[in-house]
Amino acid sequence: MKYSIIVIGDELLIGQVTDTNSGWIARHFTPYGWDVKSVKVVADDDGEITRAIDEAFEQTDVVLMTGGLGPTKDDITKPTLCRYFGGELVYDEATARNVEQVVAKRHLKLNGYTRAQAMVPSSCRVIQNQVGTAPLMWFEREGKTLVSMPGVPHETKTMMQREVIPQLLKKYSSGIDIEYRTFIVIDIIESALAMMLDDFERNLPDYLHLAYLPQPGIIRLRLSGSLPDSARINADMDRYSKQLHELLGDHIISDQDKTLPEILGDELRKHHLTVSSAESCTGGNIAHVITQIAGSSDYFLGSVVSYANEVKENVLGVSAQDIAVNGVVSEPVVRQMVDGVCRVIGTDCAMSTSGIAGPGGAVPGKPVGTVWMAAKCNDKVVAQCCHLPGDRNRVINRATTEALKLLYKLLRELD
């Protein structure tokens, strides 16, 4: 099944806000064999929206639209859709009640603009927004479907999962069984991985496909396929998944579509271990990515952001002499940092980072992007130096990834 995405908003076109909805929608439809034909960002303009819908319907039977449903005058999607599909704006009692309930939960006062959210095109089927005031609107015409959703990412994601995806899958059922497996791969670059899997890919049947989804420090491999025969495709997926494990060995750290912090958390939980972080150049980013995982309180106890040398020395117990002799970006310093944070916070494991994220701060022999990091599990400490490319944010994020990988590999030795 092919579909189109239209994202509406002047703020997206000028870069004031980044569109995250289209990527999220595409990722969540792909497992069902749905392919996005086009993604178009348009202004809050009646003509532009109308042209975008016309073009989308020429290519696909389903159009998913986000944005332009707010209560202010610049949000014109609703009247535009009313003109496009016919009918008139009418007051919907169910939507009014939903708006009142949402506003009450937020302890806000209902005003005229918010109350106007209950005006909806008579040509649509309303799907009540359980987490916002703008209703979702389902339009159908000549066998084609358009679903208009709020632009607020949280609202779009929640209502897509609860209502839109299930209803679309039911309406456009193909009878084809879609299967996919995702493998998280580390410590190999994409080109080397492709060479390693050249024969494997060449021998795949036509209905199975391997996709490379790289990000800094990690590659997600996705094996996908579709057949009317559910038993056959599952058996083949099992067989080829086993071959991937045999070929890649320890390069595969998970055969589930999980993030690195989730994978690390699973290992810590499995071994009943706790973890902390001592961060200099990453500035608390390690703690941030770990605590974004629900349930991370089972194993993550805390962090010391030891940005200043005085904090490294006075809180973590790093030797001032070692800093003077070796520099703050050095192996002795990060080793002492993991020891110190385990002692201060009382954890079994820890990660530490000290580096030069840039754009300034380089010293002879240590250019921007130089990061020393260490990981500790019980009494064992390992350290490594990385030279990471990119701007400040990229260095911080990549250093975070490498520190998590370093601890993961240390935990893997316990198996």
Side-chain angles (χ1 to χ4, degrees):
M1 185 67 190
K2 297 186 183 298
Y3 66 101
S4 303
I5 300 173
I6 299 174
V7 185
I8 299 170
D10 294 337
E11 69 279 6
L12 300 169
L13 287 171
I14 65 175
Q16 188 177 32
V17 175
T18 301
D19 165 41
T20 60
N21 284 334
S22 59
W24 187 95
I25 291 170
R27 286 194 301 275
H28 284 74
F29 269 107
T30 295
Y32 301 105
W34 285 45
D35 298 320
V36 59
K37 180 71 174 177
S38 66
V39 177
K40 187 164 187 177
V41 181
V42 300
D44 289 293
D45 177 84
D46 180 271
E48 292 295 326
I49 296 171
T50 299
R51 279 189 288 273
I53 297 172
D54 283 338
E55 292 172 4
F57 273 151
E58 286 178 4
Q59 303 178 74
T60 60
D61 291 336
V62 176
V63 177
L64 301 178
M65 176 182 288
T66 70
L69 297 180
T72 55
K73 293 180 180 178
D74 60 326
D75 291 306
I76 63 167
T77 299
K78 195 183 295 182
T80 299
L81 291 174
C82 190
R83 284 189 289 274
Y84 190 93
F85 288 97
E88 58 184 351
L89 290 174
V90 296
Y91 185 78
D92 185 73
E93 291 286 353
T95 303
R97 288 193 298 270
N98 184 72
V99 170
E100 291 171 359
Q101 291 171 2
V102 171
V103 170
K105 286 179 182 177
R106 296 176 179 177
H107 303 287
L108 300 174
K109 185 177 180 180
L110 187 65
N111 58 41
Y113 281 114
T114 306
R115 188 177 286 107
Q117 294 282 44
M119 300 296 293
V120 297
S122 58
S123 50
C124 80
R125 175 168 63 86
V126 175
I127 299 175
Q128 299 303 340
N129 186 348
Q130 300 166 25
V131 290
T133 59
L136 285 74
M137 297 174 293
W138 182 296
F139 297 88
E140 293 187 9
R141 187 171 72 182
E142 299 176 354
K144 296 180 181 287
T145 301
L146 182 146
V147 184
S148 175
M149 299 169 285
V152 180
H154 167 65
E155 297 179 23
T156 300
K157 294 173 184 178
T158 300
M159 295 309 299
M160 283 284 294
Q161 289 176 313
R162 292 182 184 179
E163 298 287 347
V164 177
I165 292 177
Q167 292 187 37
L168 284 172
L169 293 178
K170 183 178 180 180
K171 179 176 176 62
Y172 294 95
S173 175
S174 65
I176 301 294
D177 187 49
I178 310 295
E179 294 292 336
Y180 74 104
R181 310 282 172 86
T182 302
F183 307 86
I184 309 302
V185 178
I186 63 171
D187 294 341
I188 186 170
I189 62 174
E190 185 180 7
S191 58
L193 181 61
M195 290 180 64
M196 186 180 292
L197 297 178
D198 184 55
D199 288 339
F200 173 84
E201 287 192 78
R202 190 179 298 113
N203 293 320
L204 283 175
D206 291 341
Y207 53 86
L208 291 181
H209 305 278
L210 190 66
Y212 296 75
L213 308 169
Q215 60 190 81
I218 291 176
I219 299 173
R220 292 165 62 234
L221 274 179
R222 188 181 69 232
L223 182 65
S224 59
S226 58
L227 275 180
D229 188 339
S230 176
R232 179 184 173 189
I233 193 170
N234 273 290
D236 284 350
M237 292 289 277
D238 288 342
R239 179 158 60 92
Y240 286 104
S241 295
K242 183 179 179 181
Q243 288 184 24
L244 278 174
H245 274 282
E246 291 170 350
L247 286 167
L248 299 180
D250 287 344
H251 286 299
I252 295 179
I253 63 173
S254 178
D255 54 8
Q256 298 182 55
D257 194 3
K258 291 188 173 183
T259 65
L260 184 55
E262 288 177 306
I263 295 168
L264 179 64
D266 290 342
E267 285 294 310
L268 289 162
R269 191 179 283 113
K270 179 174 71 174
H271 294 290
H272 307 288
L273 297 171
T274 56
V275 68
S276 57
S277 64
E279 306 185 51
S280 186
C281 65
T282 49
N285 198 50
I286 293 174
H288 170 67
V289 300
I290 290 177
T291 54
Q292 283 197 312
I293 306 305
S296 57
S297 58
D298 291 346
Y299 46 82
F300 184 77
L301 301 192
S303 176
V304 175
V305 181
S306 52
Y307 212 64
N309 289 351
E310 292 82 2
V311 179
K312 293 180 180 69
E313 296 168 16
N314 299 332
V315 177
L316 298 177
V318 177
S319 164
Q321 182 177 1
D322 280 337
I323 292 177
V325 172
N326 301 289
V328 69
V329 182
S330 64
E331 181 174 358
V333 168
V334 293
R335 282 180 173 271
Q336 291 173 63
M337 287 171 69
V338 286
D339 282 334
V341 76
C342 281
R343 182 184 65 254
V344 169
I345 296 184
T347 56
D348 308 300
C349 308
M351 292 159 281
S352 65
T353 59
S354 184
I356 305 166
V363 296
K366 296 177 182 178
V368 169
T370 303
V371 180
W372 268 99
M373 59 192 64
K376 179 176 182 177
C377 181
N378 296 325
D379 294 327
K380 185 172 182 179
V381 177
V382 293
Q384 70 178 25
C385 182
C386 297
H387 298 281
L388 307 174
D391 61 14
R392 183 177 182 84
N393 286 335
R394 188 176 176 86
V395 170
I396 290 171
N397 289 327
R398 182 65 185 273
T400 298
T401 296
E402 294 304 319
L404 294 172
K405 287 163 56 179
L406 190 62
L407 179 57
Y408 170 81
K409 287 183 277 189
L410 196 54
L411 291 171
R412 193 163 59 186
E413 295 178 7
L414 301 176
D415 295 333

